[in-house]
Amino acid sequence: MSIEGTTTSQPTSGQMHKPWEDFDGLGHFYQCRPQYPPRIAEQLRSVLRDSRGGRIIEVGAGTGLFTRSLAAVFGTSFQIFAVEPNEDMRRHAESQRLAGMPVHYVSGVAENLQAPDGAAQLVTAASAVHRFNCPAFYREAQRVLAPGGVLAIVQYEPYDKGSAFVDSFLSVIEAALPGYKRHRHSRPDGGYSEVDIAVELGAEADLKDVRRETFVFTELINRERFEHRALSFTIVQKAIKREGDDAIRSALGSLFEQYRNSNGLVEMPYEAEIITARRS
């Protein structure tokens, strides 16, 4: 990506496995993921204070779920450069583009943003940072942010407190994957870890005003949407590789039938997290 919108190819490493290849073929399922509540993009707009326009770089944009939310809130005075290395994901994002959206979908990686120094008012990543080399990404974000610009990390995960359905869903995954525990994320090297983004951003010398906010949102979903949504998670794909497609799909189906209401729907709560920091 360049700030003018030219597409470039991502760095290659011979025949080594690339983390974004884990998402090959998952673009269709991603369309069943929850929409990001408008509250998130609205908060990011308020954090930019009186900025009347500029450039937003969204890293790890996937199929454009958060991109479209940003475009709806920020309007045409901001140009959005949505960076995504996976071709399947970008293809789905392009297919959902709304006419007049000031969005450029480009190939690239978090650790090597093809943008000039100080070019962006906002750098953001939604449900993606755990797949990055975070120290390298933080350096790149600080490089491309203008003074006073904002780095914003957004993520959500199923919220198991008070939800027997979510607790059982996460238990299915834990049982299938030795070494995995809920609230951990897949690492690029194949392991799992818990990441405290606020602490990491607080240790960056050129970032200040680190803030973290969480809130819970809930959706009612039918069985097909639940199954497709579950299949969009790479952690569930890992469970399938270990236990087999039929076994995991059967477990998910049985789980849904156990908790569905009389209308054939289940309540799926999520906890959203917004972490922001300002470049000095």
Side-chain angles (χ1 to χ4, degrees):
M1 180 200 73
S2 77
I3 209 65
E4 289 78 23
T6 303
T7 301
T8 61
S9 61
Q10 64 269 22
T12 59
S13 302
Q15 299 302 311
M16 292 177 63
H17 175 76
K18 305 175 184 67
W20 54 86
E21 291 175 347
D22 292 343
F23 298 89
D24 288 347
L26 299 186
H28 168 71
F29 296 127
Y30 259 67
Q31 302 313 306
C32 292
R33 283 203 168 189
Q35 300 294 318
Y36 288 90
R39 169 179 173 179
I40 297 175
E42 290 166 357
Q43 179 170 327
L44 299 188
R45 182 67 187 91
S46 69
V47 171
L48 287 189
R49 299 172 180 166
D50 58 354
S51 179
R52 296 184 178 181
R55 298 176 176 92
I56 297 170
I57 300 176
E58 184 199 358
V59 189
T63 59
L65 285 171
F66 191 52
T67 316
R68 294 188 288 276
S69 181
L70 289 169
V73 169
F74 280 81
T76 57
S77 60
F78 286 84
Q79 293 292 311
I80 301 173
F81 294 85
V83 182
E84 172 55 49
N86 185 280
E87 183 178 356
D88 179 47
M89 292 288 182
R90 287 199 314 277
R91 184 170 59 252
H92 279 274
E94 290 280 8
S95 73
Q96 299 294 314
R97 180 198 295 271
L98 300 177
M101 281 178 57
V103 174
H104 311 272
Y105 289 106
V106 296
S107 177
V109 295
E111 301 82 3
N112 185 25
L113 298 173
Q114 299 298 307
D117 295 355
Q121 282 64 50
L122 173 66
V123 173
T124 186
S127 303
V129 73
H130 59 281
R131 306 287 297 192
F132 302 164
N133 176 328
C134 285
F137 167 60
Y138 298 151
R139 288 193 299 271
E140 275 291 88
Q142 291 168 79
R143 180 184 67 79
V144 302
L145 279 171
V150 172
L151 172 60
I153 306 301
V154 174
Q155 47 201 10
Y156 64 78
E157 61 181 12
Y159 188 66
D160 57 338
K161 295 180 180 178
S163 172
F165 173 67
V166 173
D167 177 70
S168 298
F169 169 57
L170 296 176
S171 294
V172 168
I173 304 172
E174 288 175 327
L177 293 174
Y180 170 75
K181 298 294 182 184
R182 64 190 62 190
H183 309 309
R184 293 183 179 178
H185 296 282
S186 295
R187 296 198 309 260
D189 62 9
Y192 313 102
S193 64
E194 291 186 57
V195 181
D196 193 326
I197 302 299
V199 169
E200 292 182 354
L201 296 187
E204 294 293 317
D206 290 333
L207 295 176
K208 61 181 182 178
D209 300 333
V210 178
R211 299 183 181 182
R212 177 179 180 269
E213 178 187 340
T214 63
F215 66 91
V216 176
F217 65 98
T218 302
E219 288 191 329
L220 285 171
I221 56 176
N222 61 24
R223 176 168 174 167
E224 180 181 26
R225 195 166 187 83
F226 165 65
E227 290 180 348
H228 284 188
R229 183 173 296 181
L231 292 172
S232 76
F233 291 111
T234 55
I235 199 72
V236 174
Q237 292 296 326
K238 288 183 178 182
I240 286 173
K241 288 181 180 179
R242 182 177 176 85
E243 297 293 326
D245 186 74
D246 290 344
I248 297 301
R249 284 179 181 262
S250 176
L252 294 176
S254 297
L255 179 65
F256 185 92
E257 292 303 316
Q258 179 181 352
Y259 288 98
R260 72 179 183 89
N261 63 22
S262 58
N263 295 318
L265 303 172
V266 295
E267 186 176 88
M268 189 78 172
Y270 292 89
E271 182 177 52
E273 180 180 47
I274 311 166
I275 304 164
T276 58
R278 194 176 301 278
R279 184 181 180 273
S280 300

